[in-house]
Amino acid sequence: PWLDGPPQTNEAGRSSNFAAAMLWLAEQGLPPHFECLEIGSSAGINLMMDRYHYLGSGTLFGAQIRYLVKSSHYGWIGGLSFSASAWNVHCRDDWIGWSDQARLRNLNLVTCNSRFLICPMIQVPNLAYYVLSCASKRVAEDFFNRYHYRPVLLETFVDLERNPGTCYGAANWKWCGETQGRGRQDRY
């Protein structure tokens, strides 16, 4: 096939081939309304995160999957990003109960929910919990399809001054403790 992998559409110049391909497909007699969704495409989710998430889209490290969330009633309403877990989080590591050697050997089995956003104009009760639950149920299989391994644990970090993280508790995530609040690049 002429396309060996998913198109990179996070920059306008890169999406021109994708747009040309969609126009060609439309000329071949496809119905006037069709959608092309790709789990890893980042244009829509990065733009949405940059506009509405207090941390912006950010750089994701390691294995990663992004999801755009679409409602039949509201259209595109949010997104989630999953990426490599944090290297060293004492409360997580204590909760799991692994040694330094076990952590190094198994860290790829922990995946971080790096970003989660429901656009602020969308006010639907329990929507955040529902979206998080749906994504949590499918992320391991999507990681397996893309990276050939299944994470067994999801983690996230909630800034409690900005958000109580209620939707995580409602989606059966467990609170393991407070971190030191350092970023990924902090080596101390």
Side-chain angles (χ1 to χ4, degrees):
W2 60 272
L3 185 61
D4 293 329
Q8 291 295 312
T9 57
N10 55 340
E11 294 180 18
R14 292 188 197 175
S15 65
S16 60
N17 290 340
F18 182 68
M22 299 313 301
L23 290 172
W24 179 84
L25 287 171
E27 289 172 2
Q28 304 307 306
L30 288 175
H33 178 269
F34 61 93
E35 291 181 41
C36 181
L37 302 177
E38 200 283 313
I39 293 171
S41 64
S42 56
I45 194 168
N46 284 349
L47 292 171
M48 191 181 300
M49 293 291 178
D50 285 340
R51 183 168 185 182
Y52 297 114
H53 196 285
Y54 73 99
L55 294 173
S57 59
T59 300
L60 300 182
F61 294 90
Q64 54 194 261
I65 288 184
R66 296 173 174 93
Y67 299 103
L68 278 168
V69 181
K70 185 175 184 182
S71 158
S72 59
H73 183 73
Y74 296 106
W76 299 108
I77 61 169
L80 300 97
S81 300
F82 292 87
S83 62
S85 61
W87 282 98
N88 194 358
V89 178
H90 294 294
C91 58
R92 176 203 62 205
D93 298 342
D94 291 345
W95 184 80
I96 293 171
W98 58 19
S99 64
D100 286 341
Q101 295 81 13
R103 179 178 51 82
L104 292 173
R105 196 170 49 250
N106 297 303
L107 194 57
N108 68 312
L109 299 177
V110 180
T111 298
C112 183
N113 174 212
S114 306
R115 297 286 188 275
F116 179 36
L117 171 75
I118 299 296
C119 291
M121 69 289 276
I122 305 299
Q123 300 292 317
V124 177
N126 303 315
L127 177 63
Y129 140 77
Y130 177 76
V131 168
L132 187 58
S133 291
C134 290
S136 297
K137 290 175 186 170
R138 71 173 288 167
V139 70
E141 188 65 24
D142 291 339
F143 258 76
F144 180 77
N145 291 335
R146 179 170 285 182
Y147 298 109
H148 309 292
Y149 72 90
R150 284 183 179 85
V152 297
L153 184 68
L154 298 175
E155 70 180 8
T156 196
F157 301 93
V158 176
D159 182 348
L160 296 175
E161 291 181 12
R162 294 178 116 1
N163 186 326
T166 307
C167 64
Y168 287 96
N172 290 322
W173 289 49
K174 305 298 179 207
W175 182 79
C176 292
E178 291 189 24
T179 66
Q180 295 178 4
R182 295 178 173 164
R184 181 177 292 277
Q185 303 303 317
D186 189 346
R187 298 290 180 211
Y188 298 103

